[in-house]
Amino acid sequence: MAEIELLYDKKYSCIMCGKYFTTKKIRSRFVKVTGYDTDFCPSYSNPAADPNLYYINVCPGCGYSFTDDFSGYFPPGTKDSINDKVCGHWVPQDFNSERSIADAIKTYKLGVYCATLKNEKHIVTAGLYMRLAWLYRSKKDTTQEQRFLKLALKEYVDSYSADDFKGTQVSEVRLYYLIGELHIRTFNMSEAQRYFSKVIEKQKQSLEPKIIQMAKDRWQEVRDQQALGSQL
């Protein structure tokens, strides 16, 4: 009996150029999560079996880069913009085999660029920035991690303002929590407390008790840090 491989091919049709291509994905049976950071960054027993490495699909023909969360709709003018700024300058590259962290980072930057030109929802772009920050965290590159956490924070705040998270898997409570968490990680403690308080205020209506408890724990950590700082 043949051994089942970690990666398999998934077929896509590029909505920019119309060509079909295959890209690698990780079989779910190999994905073993050992824990999560407070911003939901997962740790895996096998770092090579990190689905985030293969999250972005890159058309090898034209360079259009997207995820399964991207809308199939192009607002007026955006397709021309992508065609001009991405496809028109595309030097053929193949990201559709096994990827290193460096390869994955390149795909995320392509994905973010396409999402920005396409005017994707803020909640979608925020998720790309978060995953990019996590990849830099795995490389222990704190400068780049901070850069992309701040960009993710801006997009999450914009998503909250625009209400474009509604209808996605990100609930209002989770969005409040993420904004608070990213304020902690980018050293804005007063704003972190404000958003964690918003989470706690929703505890009676929320169906996500784990998020409520995480917010309470993080809120208390901020309080403890402030108390310690005032004693020094």
Side-chain angles (χ1 to χ4, degrees):
M1 186 174 176
E3 183 179 351
I4 297 174
E5 295 185 352
L6 173 70
L7 301 172
Y8 71 95
D9 288 325
K10 186 171 182 178
K11 192 172 185 179
Y12 285 93
S13 172
C14 176
I15 58 176
M16 274 300 298
C17 70
K19 293 181 180 176
Y20 287 92
F21 67 95
T22 59
T23 188
K24 298 294 184 184
K25 300 290 180 183
I26 294 179
R27 296 184 194 279
S28 58
R29 70 178 66 187
F30 292 101
V31 179
K32 309 292 184 188
V33 178
T34 57
Y36 293 92
D37 291 347
T38 50
D39 63 352
F40 305 115
C41 175
S43 300
Y44 298 95
S45 57
N46 177 8
D50 179 353
N52 287 318
L53 296 173
Y54 300 91
Y55 188 68
I56 308 288
N57 311 309
V58 181
C59 175
C62 72
Y64 179 63
S65 304
F66 60 98
T67 75
D68 294 349
D69 293 325
F70 276 37
S71 164
Y73 170 71
F74 286 85
T78 58
K79 204 163 190 176
D80 289 339
S81 182
I82 293 170
N83 196 49
D84 178 49
K85 296 179 179 178
V86 177
C87 307
H89 297 278
W90 180 244
V91 176
Q93 299 173 71
D94 188 1
F95 290 106
N96 301 326
S97 53
E98 186 174 349
R99 291 179 186 171
S100 64
I101 292 176
D103 292 332
I105 285 172
K106 290 177 184 177
T107 69
Y108 274 95
K109 290 180 178 178
L110 285 166
V112 163
Y113 190 42
C114 288
T116 302
L117 293 173
K118 189 174 176 289
N119 294 330
E120 273 294 338
K121 289 182 176 181
H122 296 293
I123 197 69
V124 171
T125 308
L128 300 182
Y129 282 134
M130 279 291 281
R131 288 176 170 84
L132 192 43
W134 294 345
L135 289 176
Y136 278 113
R137 186 178 304 169
S138 71
K139 289 167 57 70
K140 296 182 168 46
D141 187 336
T142 54
T143 300
Q144 290 301 316
E145 180 190 347
Q146 277 290 304
R147 175 190 172 198
F148 289 106
L149 288 177
K150 288 174 182 175
L151 288 167
L153 173 56
K154 180 184 182 303
E155 291 295 322
Y156 280 126
V157 170
D158 287 346
S159 177
Y160 170 58
S161 298
D163 266 355
D164 74 5
F165 64 94
K166 291 183 176 176
T168 73
Q169 293 183 333
V170 181
S171 66
E172 184 177 49
V173 163
R174 181 174 285 254
L175 183 58
Y176 285 154
Y177 175 83
L178 280 166
I179 293 172
E181 175 63 24
L182 290 178
H183 275 304
I184 283 187
R185 288 179 176 268
T186 55
F187 311 106
N188 188 342
M189 299 306 174
S190 61
E191 281 296 288
Q193 279 188 303
R194 187 164 78 89
Y195 278 94
F196 289 141
S197 294
K198 286 177 179 287
V199 177
I200 296 166
E201 287 167 10
K202 295 279 186 180
Q203 60 185 322
K204 290 184 179 177
Q205 304 107 286
S206 176
L207 299 176
E208 299 174 281
K210 287 185 179 179
I211 302 292
I212 302 295
Q213 189 57 53
M214 288 172 72
K216 288 179 177 179
D217 292 343
R218 293 298 269 163
W219 185 86
Q220 189 59 51
E221 286 175 31
V222 173
R223 287 288 300 273
D224 292 345
Q225 285 178 19
Q226 289 176 331
L228 181 62
S230 67
Q231 294 172 12
L232 296 177

